[in-house]
Amino acid sequence: MKTIEIKSTNGQTWKVMPRWKGKHVAVHAPVVEGICERKNDQWVITHLQSGQTTGGYFNGSLKEALLSARIWDEAFSTVSEETAKVWPLAIQWKRILRQGKAERPWIHLDRVKTIVATRMA
């Protein structure tokens, strides 16, 4: 598997080895000063287009983090730096990160795209 490039909140970029990489998101250990540091049941799910975290630590097992990333990979195709603030699945996704349990998006992907387009217009 190839490394991915991530961006920190202060603008630094690092290359890290993900545990799983999909089309739109990847799962990796938390990164401190460019080094992946395994923390008990904390993982990062990064948006590949922006290189930024999808909202903080995933507080659950690696198994649940991988399952969540796989389920939500296609949903993150509707997120960009411009649309992140109007993404209709943001509240559900943040709850999933906090709870560390996988669940399916509550809105069908076609509807998400329509909502994002309407909010951006």
Side-chain angles (χ1 to χ4, degrees):
M1 186 178 306
K2 293 182 179 181
T3 60
I4 62 168
E5 189 170 284
I6 63 170
K7 295 178 186 172
S8 69
T9 53
N10 66 7
Q12 290 180 295
T13 60
W14 294 297
K15 291 192 182 294
V16 298
M17 184 63 69
R19 298 299 288 262
W20 178 83
K21 179 182 172 190
K23 288 183 180 179
H24 307 285
V25 296
V27 177
H28 58 87
V31 176
V32 177
E33 295 300 318
I35 299 169
C36 284
E37 292 190 356
R38 177 101 191 333
K39 296 186 178 186
N40 255 358
D41 287 338
Q42 282 192 330
W43 300 94
V44 178
I45 300 177
T46 293
H47 184 244
L48 294 172
Q49 179 186 358
S50 68
Q52 298 177 336
T53 177
T54 60
Y57 291 132
F58 181 92
N59 293 306
S61 68
L62 176 59
K63 180 180 176 181
E64 287 292 321
L66 295 173
L67 181 58
S68 293
R70 286 182 176 115
I71 290 171
W72 281 73
D73 188 49
E74 195 57 36
F76 275 96
S77 70
T78 61
V79 179
S80 67
E81 291 185 44
E82 296 81 33
T83 64
K85 289 185 178 5
V86 299
W87 194 50
L89 295 172
I91 292 171
Q92 183 187 13
W93 178 248
K94 287 176 186 174
R95 188 182 72 246
I96 289 168
L97 290 174
R98 281 192 314 273
Q99 294 175 348
K101 297 288 182 194
E103 63 181 63
R104 298 205 176 280
W106 61 275
I107 303 175
H108 190 274
L109 187 56
D110 290 338
R111 180 77 180 120
V112 171
K113 290 176 182 175
T114 302
I115 292 169
V116 168
T118 302
R119 290 180 180 174
M120 291 301 293

